[in-house]
């Protein structure tokens, strides 16, 4: 027998004579090499622990024991992924359980089953919280009605601020724990604060949420949402609904427009202001405008249906004045972003919906004087007041604003948008804004 074989046998004999607690990692590594060389299939380490399926670098930990007169066999994973210490500790623990008349494998199965049941209960609990239900309700609502992210975000925020926030566990409250009296008392807070429009919108959201839960078998009782529908609160009168304010005096409009042209707090914001006032389109369409939607040669802006309130594509003719500003913006744009007005912090996203409103505040106008949406009212009011003087058709003013004009039947047969008639309106509007700069108003 060679010295090599003698050394290998000495290693095996030494390990057999040792208690499992005293065996080291180096000895395990030497043992694996010995077993691989001698082609032994397994090696017992005591305490029921052994190494099997041995190759040149690894081996599988096995644990064998007798319980209730029957032999049991399980594995602890592979060495070295499962260390000697981990396998040794597990073998000792299993032996302690056996000595206490507990079958370790069955005990493990029981623990796994108990954990599985706990997870199922937790998952079921989660699925029945108002926050989880609301999340799925808004996902389906957005998909079915093709709503914008910002619309859903507003609804989510309203539901949280005026409903979830007042529940015992907020959005983690089980829907089954909420009574009709709970909901009515929460809505009464809005009624007492005279926030009637918010009350109406919140009530509609809660009804929608409960109808969704009922239709998806989350709740079995339709009592809450049917009674809530019939529940009377103070009504919102039209006189109480605030329209978006706007400036209507030439001197004020001149000051606003001059401020836009001289805006120094961000070049993209400056041109977002200009596109807003010259086209009178909604802010959702303004901030999401893409260069692929702008045709500088034809002087048109094609707004896709997905960005329109009525989910119908809209073409906006661009005035000669505005085309000049857009060409200026095009020259300074990086064109690494599809949007005319990219988000300064997030790549491949457009600017915030409130950017133009914040910019108007920076120009010195309060929210009671002028809002971004109010620029639409400015355009419509000034155009109407000049209707006879400049032969401005009210129909084309409304079409510029993407308002419904005529009956459904008439619109079906209107195959071609009156772009040139709308262009005349917007060219007049841009010329009016520019003319303010050349006049001394009030003197």
């Amino acid at each position: 027998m060679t010295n090599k074989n003698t050394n290998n046998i000495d290693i095996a004999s030494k390990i057999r004579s040792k208690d499992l607690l005293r065996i080291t990692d180096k000895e395990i590594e030497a043992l694996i090499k010995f077993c691989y060389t001698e082609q032994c299939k397994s090696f017992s380490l005591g305490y029921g622990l052994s190494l099997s399926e041995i190759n040149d670098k690894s081996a599988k930990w096995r644990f064998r024991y007798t319980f209730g007169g029957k032999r049991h066999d399980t594995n602890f994973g592979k060495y070295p992924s499962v260390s000697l210490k981990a396998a040794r500790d597990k073998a000792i623990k299993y032996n302690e359980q056996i000595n206490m008349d507990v079958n370790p494998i069955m005990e493990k199965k029981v623990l796994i089953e108990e954990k599985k049941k706990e997870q199922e209960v937790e998952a079921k609990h989660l699925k029945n919280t108002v926050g989880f239900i609301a999340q799925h309700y808004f996902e389906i609502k957005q998909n079915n009605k093709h709503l914008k992210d910002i619309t859903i975000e507003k609804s989510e925020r309203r539901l949280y601020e005026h409903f979830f926030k007042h529940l015992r566990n907020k959005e983690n409250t089980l829907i089954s724990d909420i009574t009709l009296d709970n909901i009515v008392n929460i809505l009464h807070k809005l009624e007492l604060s005279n926030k009637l429009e918010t009350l109406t919108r919140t009530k509609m959201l809660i009804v929608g949420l409960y109808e969704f839960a009922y239709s998806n078998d989350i709740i079995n009782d339709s009592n809450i949402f049917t009674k809530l529908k019939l529940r009377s609160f103070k009504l919102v009168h039209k006189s109480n609904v605030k329209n978006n304010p706007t400036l209507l005096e030439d001197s004020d409009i001149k000051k606003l427009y001059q401020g836009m042209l001289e805006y120094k707090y961000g070049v993209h914001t400056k041109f977002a202001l200009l596109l807003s006032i010259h086209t009178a389109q909604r802010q959702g369409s303004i901030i999401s405008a893409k260069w692929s939607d702008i045709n500088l040669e034809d002087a048109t802006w094609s707004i896709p249906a997905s960005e329109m309130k009525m989910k119908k594509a809209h073409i906006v003719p661009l005035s000669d004045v505005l085309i000049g500003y857009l060409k200026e913006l095009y020259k300074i744009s990086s064109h690494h972003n599809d949007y005319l007005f990219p988000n300064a912090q997030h790549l491949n996203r457009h600017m915030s919906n409130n950017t133009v409103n914040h910019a108007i505040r920076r120009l010195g106008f309060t929210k009671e004087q002028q809002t971004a949406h109010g620029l639409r009212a400015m355009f419509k009011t000034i155009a109407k007041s000049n209707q006879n003087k400049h032969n401005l058709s009210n129909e084309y003013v409304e079409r510029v604003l993407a308002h419904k004009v005529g009956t459904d039947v008439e619109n079906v047969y209107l195959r071609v948008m009156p772009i040139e008639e709308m262009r005349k309106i917007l060219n007049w509007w841009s010329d009016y804004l520019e003319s303010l700069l050349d006049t001394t108003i009030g003197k």
Side-chain angles (χ1 to χ4, degrees), residues 290-336:
K290 295 181 178 180
W291 284 111
S292 57
D293 301 328
I294 303 289
N295 190 323
L296 293 175
E297 291 185 6
D298 292 344
T300 56
W301 171 23
S302 300
I303 306 177
S306 60
E307 301 300 334
M308 293 299 297
K309 183 178 181 180
M310 303 304 292
K311 301 305 172 187
K312 183 179 178 181
H314 183 50
I315 299 177
V316 182
L318 305 173
S319 68
D320 296 338
V321 171
L322 183 57
I323 283 292
Y325 291 133
L326 287 176
K327 285 181 177 178
E328 186 180 342
L329 174 62
Y330 189 80
K331 288 178 182 177
I332 62 176
S333 292
S334 66
H335 304 301
H336 293 308

Side-chain angles (χ1 to χ4, degrees), residues 21 24-25 29 140 157 216 228 287 292 301 341 406 418 434:
L21 298 176
T24 65
D25 277 293
E29 290 170 7
I140 292 173
R157 190 160 54 249
N216 285 276
L228 187 59
I287 62 174
S292 57
W301 171 23
F341 312 115
E434 293 286 308

Side-chain angles (χ1 to χ4, degrees), residues 67-85:
F67 189 89
K70 292 183 179 180
R71 294 283 293 171
H72 296 274
D73 191 335
T74 187
N75 76 79
F76 293 167
K78 281 190 173 184
Y79 180 88
S81 297
V82 177
S83 68
L84 167 63
K85 183 181 185 307

Side-chain angles (χ1 to χ4, degrees), residues 30-63:
L31 178 64
I32 287 174
K33 289 178 182 178
F34 160 71
C35 286
Y36 177 69
T37 303
E38 298 298 319
Q39 297 183 344
C40 56
K41 294 181 180 179
S42 65
F43 192 95
S44 177
L45 297 167
Y47 287 79
L49 187 64
S50 64
L51 288 168
S52 64
E53 298 179 26
I54 300 168
N55 60 39
D56 60 332
K57 291 182 180 179
S58 68
K60 182 179 285 187
W61 294 110
R62 298 210 69 84
F63 183 76

Side-chain angles (χ1 to χ4, degrees), residues 166-178:
H166 302 280
L167 298 171
R168 181 184 293 275
N169 296 312
K170 296 185 172 57
E171 68 271 24
N172 294 319
T173 304
L174 290 172
I175 195 168
S176 57
D177 289 344
I178 305 169

Side-chain angles (χ1 to χ4, degrees), residues 247 253 274 276-280 319 321 375-383 386 392 423-436:
L247 305 169
I253 297 173
L274 293 175
S276 297
I277 196 168
H278 278 282
T279 65
S319 68
V321 171
L375 294 171
R376 289 166 59 80
M378 177 192 289
F379 162 73
K380 181 175 179 177
T381 305
I382 300 299
N386 285 273
L392 305 175
R423 189 185 303 281
K424 290 176 185 175
I425 300 287
L426 285 171
N427 265 323
W428 170 83
W429 173 241
S430 289
D431 290 342
Y432 161 77
L433 293 171
E434 293 286 308
S435 69
L436 295 176

Side-chain angles (χ1 to χ4, degrees), residues 124-125 127-130 133 163 167 172-180 182-183 210 213 218-221 224:
K124 187 176 180 181
H125 183 280
K127 287 180 181 179
N128 288 298
T129 60
V130 285
I133 297 165
F163 183 40
L167 298 171
N172 294 319
T173 304
L174 290 172
I175 195 168
S176 57
D177 289 344
I178 305 169
T179 66
L180 178 61
N182 292 150
I183 299 171
Y210 271 80
I218 298 169
I219 57 174
N220 300 316
D221 189 4
I224 286 184

